[in-house]
Amino acid sequence: SRAVNCSVCLQAGPNCAYCPDEVSLLAYSLSCIFPPVQNVQIDTNRNYAQVAPQQMTMTLLPGEERELVMEVFEPGRGPLDLYILMDFSNSMSDDLDNLKRMGDQLAKLVGTLSDDYTIGFGKFVDKVIEPQTDMRPSKLAQPWPNSDPPFSFRHVIPLTNNINTFRQILQKERISGNLDAPEGGFDAILQAAVCQSQIGWRNDTTHLLVFSTESAFHYEADGVNVLAGVLDRNDEKCHLDTGGSYTHATLQDYPSVPTLVRTLMKHNIIPIFAITNHSLSYYERLLEYFPIAELGVLTDDSSNILHIIENAFKSIRSKISIQTEDRPKAINSQVLSATGGGDLRIQPGEIANVTVRLSARTEYNDKHVCSLSPNDRSGLLRVKPTTFSSALRIQTNVLCATCECEKVSEWSRAARCNGNGALVCGVCRCYNKWMGPFCNCSAQFQSDAECNSPGMTEPCSGRGDCVCGTCICHNPSQYDGPFCQYDKSQCQRYGGFLCNDRGGCLLGKCVCDDEWTGNSCECPLSNMTCRDNKGGLCNGRGVCKCGRCECEHTGLLGMCESRRSCVQCQAWKTGERKGDKCKDCPFKVVMVDELKERDKVIETCEYRDEDDDCTYYYTVDYPPNPTEKEHEVQVLKKKDCPPGGFLWLIPLIMFLMLLLGLLLLCCWKYCACCKVPLCCPCCAKGRMVGFKEDHYMLRQSLLTSDHLDTPMVRTGPPKSTDVVRWKVKDNVHRPANHPQNQIQPNPKEMIDFPVSLRLNRQFSDNLSRLDARDTQVLRQEVEDNLNDVFRRIPGAQTVQKTRFRTQRNAGKRQNNTIVDTVLPAPRGSYNDIVNLTDKQVQSGNFSNLRVMPGYYTVATDRDATGAVELQEGVESVDVRVPLFIKDEDDAKKELLVEAIDVPLGIAKIGKRFVNITVIKENAKSIFTFLQPSYTFSRQDAVANIPISREIIEDGRTQVTYSSRDLTAKDKKDYVSVDGDMAYGPGETQKLVQVKLLQLAETDSLLDKQLKQFVLDLSNPRQGAKLGRIPRTTINIADKPDISKKTDMSFQQSAPSGRLHCPANIEATPIGPKNIRLNWKPQMGAKGYKVTHTSTHTLNVFLCVQVKYWIYGDPEAEAQVVDVKNTQAELTNLYPYCDYEMRVCAYNSQGDGEYSDIVQCQTLEDVPSEPGRLAFNVIGPTVTQLSWAEPAEPNGVITEYEVVYTPINENNKPTGPSKKVKIDNPKKRMLLIENLQPSQTYFYKVRASNKVGWGPYRDATINLASQPHRPMSIPIIPDIPIVDAEAGEEYDSFLMYSNEVLRSPTTGTRPSVSDMSEGSLSSNFRNHTEDINDALQNLDRVLQDSRLPRGVPETPSRLVFSALGPTALKVSWQEPHCDTPVLGYRVLYQLLSGGEMKQMDVANPAQNSVVVQDLLPNQSYLFKVKAQSQEGWGPEREGVITIESTVDPKSPLSPVPGSSFTLSTPSAPGPLVFTALSPETLQLSWDKPRKPNGEILGYVVTCEQLHGGGDLRSFQVSGNAATSLTVSDLKENVPYKFKVQAQTTQGFGPEREGIITIESQDGGTDLSHALSLSQTHKLRINGMMMSSRQVTQHMEVGGSVMRQMEMVQRGVTSTVTKRVEKQYYEA
């Protein structure tokens, strides 16, 4: 072990041990598990739930695991405590009457459920404080006739088994009342749970709490208590007086949802919610947060409450599961098995066994577990069934103590240490002048003789240090052996790869992986490569050796060579068999005048006859008669003979070559023997560098990467450093007249330049994880510095796709970090980028980024340049050569790597060139999925996914398949699969079977998201390739989904004389921004035209069978790409965008017919960072965090991650970070409770799609320094809630609250203290005195209980929504009226007095108005009333204050999508420029995708990009106008245009575009070549998003027109709507 002492060793894990005793040498380990402290055996005769054992102690080392078995017993009719908690507001009066009548039935029901039961009763209404309760003295005394005064919660009947007492007390109860609709039931539930003695809960019983109401609930920080002045958090303690009343209702807030869940779990109380239909949806959502709970639907009079209790009890007993509670942070727990599967399903009266695994962590939050506090390393953990009070209590502890042997005095001059050292915890500590593990090596008399092998001149081969006679190699990853004599990079290579990349190099020899053998691991142990197309082995005529067939009876000869001598003697009477030996030939040749074609025979053979120097030809084919064993051999009668007269030159040339070889041999021998350095140039001393190999042969199907590590070796004394510059060029095999070489690349074309640098920083494992914080920090530092340098390159954009790695064979720099990144820039800037990179690397700095000199790589899509460094003492390094693998590559292409020069060092270049040949085999089979997605139900149990095989050349083949998680998780939603699918001759389809798992009950409640995983095809073998759909997405639905597909085929035809449209058009995405089109060649075609348009999709699922178009016929605006071959590649497209394409052929007679539309979608890319973070401060410890969707989703956003960390004034963490994953992408808000008061937090949010996680968006805020903005009452936001103070098991326990709680408009009895409902709603701050004034004004309305017939009642609710600091939206619900409502009137004035303003609403269907020009930080009184033919009804009043003390640039400023945001239009669609003349252009755009109201017009600004000139502004009025003609522009000057849309709510974000009109010399005006270079940029929340460049060249005078143009358009798709015209918005 590398541990420095005993304690560190033990903390490293259970596999590390010390020997403290030099005599016994017993391993020192402190891991132990003690026998149970309390283990009372289960007695099935006892009538209560039991577990065994009950208590034990366990001590674990870091990383250690232990398992234990727990017995669980559930009696048939165990003891039961039933507490009924009932809403006593006036609307529940008849429910109470029914419960009183059902006393005997209730006792009878409970008696059937248990032989030992108790029943209790409690009641609740709400806090007796405004605005929840009418505070007028008369209403406080008696809110309703024959009713009790209002109260919060009152415990009435303790749990008792005396049903008569229960019935008598219940008969005396009377109803009460309150003002607003939601009730204070959360206060009642918490008090009923924590007041154990007052309620009377018993031990070892099942605790049920029946909660009955027809109203919604108040919860912590919902805004009401801020209005009422109740700001203290609930302390979760019992506060009942002697009469059972709750005393702290007006002193503290309601409990939060997480608090309620945690408290009920702690006290083993199972809630049963009996709710009417009016509020059912709220409690359905609330139910999801409890590990075990039930929900029943009450009738209006609660007559079915007994039926609900009975069904809930039966359901609860069927949902027993095992859970661990109060687990320390250093301990992990896992329930491995239970009777019947995941849930514990047992029959009453039986004992079930459960296996529980406990393990100690090694790290927590990237820190060693021993760095945690003692309270986090140890604690009392409880393992219990969810319905039991009994539990197994385990006192757990992670051992981090100091070893006892380190505390005792050391053993001096221990025998184990040869008397030269002391033994401490089993390890020798040597005295001075002694060394070695046993102190047996003298430092004074150390000799290197033992480190020398015969023939060595230096100890340890000069590659290591000699320590006590043992070689310690300097670089163990490169050198090994007892004398460091073996170089791990010098084992045999096959195909250019070390050990064929199928093994490793050990002691100078290849150690092969499984299934491979041979000196260079070149021979497979399998004989699959020797299988013929009939399934046999070598056609039955040979054996398989090293993956190749060796024919019998012919040694190692093939079909041609084995028959060569017989053909010679039979056809020409020549060769080694001429004469009598020819009779022994096993076959007879057939002389023919013409041989069969090559593709119709097995082999076509060609040899030269030595007797006459002529060439003869023959073929070998299967015998015409299947019964014959010998092949048929046909020989061409005519030989090819060379002309005579020059044969005498052959001996002369051979003689001269032999003479030259002898001279060179003598020269070398003389130099070697006589040590003469200058006898010839080849003998001169000095260093040489060059490539080790001169040629590599690679098969594309076997490549595992897009590069080749090519060794660069150095000979001579390696006493200093040499830097070698190199370059590589693609497709050097193509001649100058090759069609591809005739196409001149556009120097202005934007391409990606991969750049690699070696940093002056050691590599760590964290840098290999993309989501690690170290990676993110270093990536940001690298990108900032590189962008600062590369901005000198004209047209260069910011670097992207930054990754970190190491390189094995890199000499002494192999542990340094190498950064790989991509720089988008114009193609013509290649040399500038290389020169700039070389200059910066030589200086050792990229701006402020330290890099190692001597290493870099800059590449394009066809060539690359770089440098490598051979440090002192290094003899070999690898050159990482890109292979430029592309689908359009020739069947056999060549690359040329050249060592250019040595800018640093004295070495000379030896072997300068390396040729790399890449062979692309033609596919014999094509594998693909039939559909891009499938949907299966969990009830199907198994998902059968077909893999289709298209046979081009029949035979055996196989492909690899594997599954990968998306939102579905392995072992939870399905069982992952991976393996090889083998196909025999003629097989075209096979099924992959994936087992689908049923969700546990809690999982099905907590997670409603669609579950998906993907199945990938890879590694096709034996000449196979992947087809159009190599990946399919599997959707797991709760119910079967029947999808129908309609296959349509079209018959293409063309008029006589015109070309038909190309056939078999295939569109394949090859990246997030590229699509490749392929089709069959058309006879008579001189070229092809491809038109394409795009339909952009953002965060929607799009069915490929449905086509969506925008604004009329899109083909009128399509781009045209002119190509001369049968394929085209579309570049610079948008990620995850649907494109539609057509192809037509043309010749001298004109264009042919266009093909049908072909659809293709580009691949996804990682999303950009989310929009700016916004905080709604609810209280000093509660905040609502919200964010906007990423400007560039680049796919379907699947989840978000929120990380928040407490920090100090130096931005250093003061506590652990907490992560919350939100798997519903529509929930872009998070309510965080229980934050530390006055503590600054650092927040980060990032988004993820199928490709991976995007970058973080961060913000820092201290809630104590910000104003509070409570939510409206009674609004509960539909967002996740997380408890910051909860234990680790709650870190990712998201709780979704409900939507706006509304009183049931269909209810017959209101919950307020009069016939009309009262509700005050505020989005921001309301003051208690303001409400008192409002209630005073309401009094006259509430006293008028009856209205004339036909007059509208009071509007049932007022809801205020802030639209900005001076504007808000006022909404209400339509009041009850016997006659039609004609309209409404809204009155408002300052609460302090002033003019009363009036707004009339003539449309009775409109129930909201927008009020502008309000004063910020002022309170307003609003009144709303309705009108009918009979007159005006009473008014509904409300008080609202809009607080505006937030800096718009602060992170508190609202973001789009939040409830406090001004609703402005989104950005207009992409800008399209059309040049009308050298001075005039037309600008057009699409309407905003989200107008958020009626578009009033647009504002267009124009200015010169680099300054100069005036800013010009244009106003475009109206909704329909989306274009503008701009004149008086200058040629060759770039302009920047901005377009904004305007509604009544204001201006939306800008859409930017940059345009330059260039004019070429020569020709008339009609022959001007206009070049438009456009870059769309969208600025949202301070974030810049660049779309793509568009370049158009038009040569009017030529015979060939080349057009390259892209038009982007967006579309949002639905399943039920054929066409929906919406536009792209970043």
Side-chain angles (χ1 to χ4, degrees), residues 334 938 963-978 994-997 999 1003 1011-1014 1036:
Q334 183 181 8
R938 293 186 186 273
S963 61
R964 180 169 58 84
D965 290 354
L966 291 180
T967 54
K969 304 302 179 184
D970 180 27
K971 303 297 189 299
K972 180 179 179 182
D973 301 291
Y974 75 108
V975 179
S976 63
V977 295
D978 63 271
V994 182
K995 184 178 181 181
L996 304 180
L997 303 179
L999 280 180
D1003 293 332
K1011 299 299 183 182
Q1012 295 179 311
F1013 65 95
V1014 297
I1036 305 177

Side-chain angles (χ1 to χ4, degrees), residues 687 714 718-724 813 853-854 868-873 902-907:
R687 281 209 302 268
R714 178 169 60 172
K719 300 277 185 188
S720 60
T721 298
D722 292 307
V723 175
V724 183
R813 311 288 193 203
V868 293
E869 178 190 26
L870 292 96
Q871 305 89 20
E872 181 177 359
V902 183
L904 176 64
I906 62 174

Side-chain angles (χ1 to χ4, degrees), residues 1601-1618:
M1601 176 179 292
R1602 297 183 182 272
Q1603 293 182 333
M1604 189 69 178
E1605 186 178 323
M1606 307 283 179
V1607 174
Q1608 168 240 349
R1609 46 174 51 85
V1611 41
T1612 300
S1613 66
T1614 64
V1615 176
T1616 59
K1617 195 170 182 181
R1618 178 68 177 176

Side-chain angles (χ1 to χ4, degrees), residues 634-920:
Q634 294 185 356
V635 184
L636 187 64
K637 293 180 180 179
K638 185 179 179 181
K639 289 184 176 182
D640 286 343
C641 298
F646 299 97
L647 297 178
W648 62 272
L649 291 175
I650 296 177
L652 179 59
I653 294 174
M654 295 176 62
F655 173 78
L656 293 176
M657 292 178 62
L658 180 61
L659 182 61
L660 178 61
L662 290 173
L663 290 175
L664 292 176
L665 181 60
C666 293
C667 177
W668 174 80
K669 189 67 174 178
Y670 176 74
C671 293
C673 296
C674 302
K675 307 296 182 180
V676 180
L678 299 176
C679 64
C680 66
C682 63
C683 301
K685 287 186 177 180
R687 281 209 302 268
M688 303 289 290
V689 294
F691 293 106
K692 181 180 180 182
E693 308 287 345
D694 54 8
H695 192 205
Y696 291 91
M697 292 287 292
L698 307 176
R699 293 188 179 273
Q700 184 173 331
S701 59
L702 300 178
L703 292 178
T704 58
S705 64
D706 58 354
H707 65 273
L708 174 65
D709 289 331
T710 306
M712 173 82 71
V713 297
R714 178 169 60 172
T715 60
K719 300 277 185 188
S720 60
T721 298
D722 292 307
V723 175
V724 183
R725 272 200 292 249
W726 58 271
K727 67 178 181 180
V728 59
K729 187 171 180 61
D730 191 18
N731 292 318
V732 296
H733 66 285
R734 292 175 177 173
N737 57 355
H738 191 277
Q740 293 293 334
N741 291 338
Q742 298 295 320
I743 302 176
Q744 295 298 324
N746 181 9
K748 296 183 180 180
E749 177 189 4
M750 293 294 294
I751 64 171
D752 289 340
F753 289 86
V755 179
S756 297
L757 303 170
R758 179 179 284 129
L759 304 182
N760 190 3
R761 172 190 174 122
Q762 295 294 303
F763 186 80
S764 64
D765 292 338
N766 285 339
L767 296 180
S768 61
R769 300 198 303 266
L770 297 180
D771 57 347
R773 178 165 181 81
D774 291 347
T775 305
Q776 297 166 3
V777 172
L778 182 57
R779 182 190 297 117
Q780 187 65 43
E781 179 186 357
V782 169
E783 292 181 349
D784 290 345
N785 285 279
L786 264 61
N787 291 332
D788 186 57
V789 171
F790 285 131
R791 67 182 179 182
R792 309 173 194 173
I793 305 299
Q797 301 178 8
T798 57
V799 298
Q800 55 190 2
K801 302 178 183 178
T802 304
R803 299 289 188 271
F804 303 102
R805 60 175 174 87
T806 59
Q807 187 166 332
R808 289 189 301 173
N809 188 21
K812 299 179 182 178
R813 311 288 193 203
Q814 65 176 5
N815 293 326
N816 281 74
T817 301
I818 293 180
V819 56
D820 296 324
T821 189
V822 175
L823 173 67
R827 182 183 291 275
S829 58
Y830 173 58
N831 292 330
D832 295 337
I833 296 175
V834 172
N835 295 334
L836 179 59
T837 304
D838 184 81
K839 179 180 178 182
Q840 297 294 323
V841 169
Q842 288 181 12
S843 65
N845 293 285
F846 251 80
S847 189
N848 295 323
L849 180 69
R850 298 289 303 277
V851 299
M852 298 300 298
Y855 179 88
Y856 69 88
T857 302
V858 177
T860 67
D861 56 356
R862 59 184 65 187
D863 44 22
T865 303
V868 293
E869 178 190 26
L870 292 96
Q871 305 89 20
E872 181 177 359
V874 175
E875 297 179 353
S876 173
V877 297
D878 282 345
V879 178
R880 190 180 179 94
V881 178
L883 298 177
F884 310 110
I885 299 299
K886 301 179 284 292
D887 288 343
E888 62 268 21
D889 287 339
D890 297 338
K892 182 178 181 181
K893 78 165 186 175
E894 293 186 4
L895 298 86
L896 182 64
V897 188
E898 179 184 359
I900 306 174
D901 57 9
V902 183
L904 176 64
I906 62 174
K908 304 296 182 182
I909 296 179
K911 189 179 294 185
R912 183 179 295 270
F913 297 100
V914 171
N915 286 287
I916 301 175
T917 302
V918 181
I919 300 175
K920 180 172 68 174

Side-chain angles (χ1 to χ4, degrees), residues 211-228:
F211 184 84
S212 175
T213 183
E214 71 164 12
S215 301
F217 49 82
H218 285 301
Y219 73 108
E220 183 183 43
D222 67 354
V224 177
N225 295 323
V226 180
L227 303 179

Side-chain angles (χ1 to χ4, degrees), residues 158-208:
L159 290 168
T160 178
N161 57 4
N162 190 336
I163 194 63
N164 292 326
T165 302
F166 178 86
R167 187 167 53 247
Q168 292 172 5
I169 298 177
L170 187 61
Q171 295 296 329
K172 301 176 182 179
E173 292 300 314
R174 297 194 305 174
I175 210 70
S176 183
N178 68 320
L179 188 62
D180 69 340
E183 313 295 0
F186 277 16
D187 274 341
I189 294 176
L190 183 72
Q191 291 301 306
V194 299
C195 298
Q196 293 279 302
S197 59
Q198 292 90 331
I199 302 297
W201 298 109
R202 298 177 295 170
N203 296 328
D204 301 325
T205 62
T206 300
H207 301 159
L208 298 182

Side-chain angles (χ1 to χ4, degrees), residues 314-376:
K314 294 178 180 178
S315 177
I316 288 171
R317 295 197 61 172
S318 67
K319 296 178 181 178
I320 303 176
S321 61
I322 305 298
Q323 64 184 21
T324 55
E325 300 176 354
D326 304 329
R327 176 169 51 86
K329 293 181 179 180
I331 300 294
N332 283 330
S333 63
Q334 183 181 8
V335 179
L336 296 180
S337 61
T339 302
D343 291 337
L344 181 59
R345 302 184 184 276
I346 62 174
Q347 295 295 329
E350 295 184 356
I351 298 177
N353 292 328
V354 178
T355 301
V356 180
R357 174 183 292 170
L358 298 181
S359 61
R361 294 185 174 186
T362 57
E363 291 186 350
Y364 183 81
N365 284 342
D366 298 329
K367 296 181 179 179
H368 195 274
V369 70
C370 290
S371 64
L372 296 176
S373 64
N375 292 334
D376 292 333

